[in-house]
Amino acid sequence: MKDRYALVAATEHIAQQLLDAFGLKGWEAYGYTAAVTGSRFERLVILRPHWNATGAEIAQFVTEFVPHWHTRVPPDGTFKVI
């Protein structure tokens, strides 16, 4: 099975723009709330919310989105929050 790589941002559109800007071919783009039940990724990068995010948005990112996406990466995979 082919390794899967993903970039996760606030929206799929933002993630796709970044993939295009950096020429990352073969990577998948997702928004924080994307339904990926059962999906596994060998490498996953999740971007922190925009600098002007509210406290509630940052709290949701830390308590919900990061743990959710971390479950999509196997123990020997790569998971980065930037």
Side-chain angles (χ1 to χ4, degrees), residues 60-72 79:
Q60 184 179 31
F61 176 79
V62 171
T63 61
E64 292 179 35
F65 300 141
V66 169
H68 165 73
W69 284 99
H70 196 250
T71 66
R72 305 286 109 215
F79 179 79

Side-chain angles (χ1 to χ4, degrees), residues 13-35:
H13 179 74
I14 292 169
Q16 189 60 57
Q17 285 181 317
L18 290 166
L19 292 178
D20 293 345
F22 292 106
L24 296 172
K25 305 292 184 212
W27 283 64
E28 300 173 42
Y30 293 98
Y32 293 154
T33 60

Side-chain angles (χ1 to χ4, degrees), residues 29-79:
Y30 293 98
Y32 293 154
T33 60
V36 292
T37 304
S39 295
R40 300 294 277 177
F41 302 94
E42 288 303 312
R43 179 167 295 175
L44 191 142
V45 176
I46 185 168
L47 299 175
R48 293 183 188 281
H50 193 268
W51 62 271
N52 65 351
T54 66
E57 290 169 329
I58 294 169
Q60 184 179 31
F61 176 79
V62 171
T63 61
E64 292 179 35
F65 300 141
V66 169
H68 165 73
W69 284 99
H70 196 250
T71 66
R72 305 286 109 215
V73 179
D76 61 339
T78 301
F79 179 79

